[in-house]
């Protein structure tokens, strides 16, 4: 099959593994690429050395095109982006920030840039910056989806821009893929779905929570990591959101943040006095980071940890291999679109 995304990235199927911290590892990225889709390595939790090793690892596991994320708001993201450019990663997915000269530099070696956007305004500004494609992330998505659901967001952005679109948020089935294409997208990203596969490194206990969740079992709040963010409903998620973050709490967790981000404690504490708002944001992100890691790696999504999850968890009832799920979704999408075409005759 052909869409503008399969053509742009040189892949078989219009299915993308988005960047998910501690989940979109070299192994999972390569499994998706080998099954005909394409995956973005999550570099958020990686040092520059780890990013370099991860890119080498992907190249040892697949000869297919792949990509990597640069979540620009996170400390260390710009340095990681330099590694990706030096290593000529075929696709770079920029999110939570302006790519600036990244686009020009990636184009110079023949690579592509896809920017994650959550609104029409954001999409127009990304296109103006010269990106090759957009990853449009709607309200249904795990983590940082926008305020509008994809049923309206995708066609609204499609009307305004001409670049290929990857629809992200709420897609876990072939019906979703067929619907996304009908709405004007050229591919879908599937985070929660591909995180619930045999190859996914998510802890078994948390995978079982994915399977148990219904479409109503998520919380959407800006009090978890400071941005609007969707997480799995659990006692610890409810507590985190209730607590939120303020200068007093930020001062208590400050030294721990400094340590986890490899920053000087004195610098962080002085920064807190000089720019309290910035430090509250950093404290929010760092504590959220610890909780997400606990859910993904240790299976603790309900006591201290918090799992990021999309509403589409309620559509996921099995734990196949990546290859099996991609083949099934493609088959289901073909059936769903012929059924719709038949009804529209
Ligand atoms: C466990 C988990 C971790 C994630 N981590 C990140 C991240 O580090 N950076 C990021 O930009 N998006 C992250 N995301 C969001 C995904 O990139 C994507 O936007 C989302 O999964 C799409 O929604 P879906 O889960 O409904 O498919 C994460 C999602 C999940 C489920």
């Amino acid at each position: 099959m052909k869409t503008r995304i399969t053509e742009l990235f040189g892949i078989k199927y219009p299915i993308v593994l988005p960047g998910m911290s501690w989940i979109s590892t070299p192994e999972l990225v390569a499994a998706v690429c080998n099954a005909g889709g394409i995956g973005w390595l999550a570099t958020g939790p990686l040092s520059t050395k780890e990013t370099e090793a991860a890119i080498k690892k992907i190249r040892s596991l697949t000869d297919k095109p792949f990509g990597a994320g640069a979540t620009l708001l996170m400390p260390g993201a710009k340095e990681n982006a330099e590694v990706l450019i030096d290593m000529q990663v075929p696709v770079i997915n920029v999110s939570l920030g302006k790519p600036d000269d990244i686009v020009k530099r990636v184009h110079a070696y023949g690579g592509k840039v896809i920017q994650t956007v959550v609104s029409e305004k954001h999409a127009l500004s990304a296109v103006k910056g010269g990106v090759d494609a957009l990853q449009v992330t709607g309200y249904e998505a795990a983590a940082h989806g926008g305020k509008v659901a994809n049923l309206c967001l995708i066609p609204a952005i499609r009307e305004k821009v001409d670049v290929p679109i990857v629809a992200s948020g709420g897609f876990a089935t072939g019906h979703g893929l067929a619907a996304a294409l009908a709405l004007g997208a050229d591919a879908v990203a599937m985070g929660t779905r591909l995180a619930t596969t045999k190859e996914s490194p998510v802890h078994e206990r948390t995978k079982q929570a994915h399977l148990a969740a219904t479409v109503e079992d998520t919380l959407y709040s800006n009090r978890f990591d400071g941005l609007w963010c969707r997480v799995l409903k659990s006692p610890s998620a409810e507590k985190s959101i209730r607590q939120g973050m303020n200068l007093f709490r930020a001062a208590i967790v400050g030294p721990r943040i400094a340590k986890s981000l490899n920053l000087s404690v004195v610098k962080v504490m002085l920064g807190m006095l000089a720019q309290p708002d910035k430090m509250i944001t950093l404290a929010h992100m760092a504590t959220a980071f610890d909780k997400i890691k606990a859910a993904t790696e240790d299976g603790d999504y309900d006591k201290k940890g918090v799992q990021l999850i999309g509403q589409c968890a309620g559509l996921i009832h099995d734990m196949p291999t990546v290859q099996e799920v991609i083949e099934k979704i493609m088959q289901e999408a073909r059936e769903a679109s012929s059924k719709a075409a038949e009804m529209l005759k």
Side-chain angles (χ1 to χ4, degrees):
M1 80 170 286
K2 269 190 194 163
T3 73
R4 291 205 293 163
I5 284 291
T6 61
E7 301 268 280
L8 181 70
F9 298 146
I11 55 176
K12 192 170 169 197
Y13 299 136
I15 294 180
V16 174
L17 166 75
M20 296 180 280
S21 295
W22 300 286
I23 301 175
S24 303
T25 53
E27 291 77 8
L28 193 60
V29 168
V32 173
C33 297
N34 287 332
I38 190 165
W40 313 150
L41 170 78
T43 61
L46 306 183
S47 66
T48 49
K49 275 215 158 64
E50 287 166 336
T51 297
E52 187 182 337
I55 299 296
K56 286 185 181 154
K57 179 86 186 171
I58 295 172
R59 288 192 161 128
S60 75
L61 297 171
T62 184
D63 57 1
K64 302 281 192 289
F66 68 95
T71 309
L72 297 171
L73 192 71
M74 284 175 152
K78 294 224 162 78
E79 291 78 1
N80 272 334
E82 289 300 321
V83 174
L84 305 181
I85 293 169
D86 282 350
M87 297 183 81
Q88 306 202 342
V89 167
V91 185
I92 297 192
N93 169 223
V94 292
S95 60
L96 299 181
K98 280 201 164 183
D100 296 326
D101 70 339
I102 291 179
V103 177
K104 214 165 79 194
R105 293 172 64 204
V106 173
H107 285 169
Y109 65 75
K112 307 287 178 210
V113 178
I114 176 166
Q115 185 165 346
T116 296
V117 298
V118 299
S119 68
E120 291 173 70
K121 192 173 153 211
H122 201 181
L124 287 171
S125 136
V127 170
K128 218 166 157 192
V131 298
D132 302 282
L134 299 177
Q135 187 160 307
V136 175
T137 307
Y139 179 70
E140 308 92 327
H144 306 121
K147 288 286 182 68
V148 178
N150 273 326
L151 195 59
C152 288
L153 190 61
I154 299 295
I157 292 182
R158 178 74 297 159
E159 271 179 25
K160 296 220 160 52
V161 306
D162 192 37
V163 297
I165 290 176
V166 174
S168 180
F171 300 103
T173 65
H175 300 95
L177 170 57
L181 299 180
L183 289 171
D186 306 277
V188 290
M190 296 187 165
T192 304
R193 173 64 274 191
L194 290 164
T196 321
T197 53
K198 284 211 171 78
E199 294 94 328
S200 156
V202 172
H203 191 282
E204 196 53 37
R205 186 170 181 270
T206 302
K207 279 186 183 171
Q208 290 305 324
H210 284 199
L211 293 178
T214 72
V215 290
E216 291 178 17
D217 290 334
T218 68
L219 302 169
Y220 183 66
S221 170
N222 62 356
R223 290 173 59 84
F224 173 57
D225 69 358
L227 304 171
W228 284 96
C229 182
R230 187 174 300 284
V231 303
L232 178 64
K233 195 191 279 180
S234 73
S236 45
E238 279 167 339
K239 186 172 171 206
S240 293
I241 288 170
R242 224 177 19 249
Q243 261 181 346
M245 184 61 68
N246 53 41
L247 196 54
F248 180 67
R249 258 181 68 72
I252 294 173
V253 296
R256 195 163 50 78
I257 304 162
K259 207 169 150 228
S260 68
L261 300 178
N262 279 332
L263 301 172
S264 130
V265 174
V266 177
K267 226 170 146 184
V268 166
M269 299 314 275
L270 287 176
M272 211 172 266
L273 293 175
Q275 286 179 286
D277 285 357
K278 204 168 168 202
M279 292 320 295
I280 289 175
T281 306
L282 258 185
H284 233 137
M285 294 197 99
T287 45
F289 224 55
D290 278 357
K291 290 175 185 172
I292 300 166
K293 188 167 188 252
T296 309
E297 292 195 335
D298 311 330
D300 172 6
Y301 61 86
D302 50 354
K303 294 182 181 66
K304 286 194 175 148
V306 175
Q307 178 68 349
L308 302 176
I309 201 166
Q311 291 180 319
C312 68
L315 307 176
I316 299 170
H317 312 296
D318 57 2
M319 190 117 56
T321 65
V322 166
Q323 172 92 37
E324 284 164 353
V325 79
I326 288 183
E327 295 296 340
K328 181 176 163 208
I329 284 168
M330 290 310 303
Q331 183 58 26
E332 228 174 52
R334 288 186 195 104
E335 285 166 13
S337 58
S338 7
K339 210 167 149 191
E342 195 57 37
M343 286 191 276
L344 286 166
K345 266 186 186 164

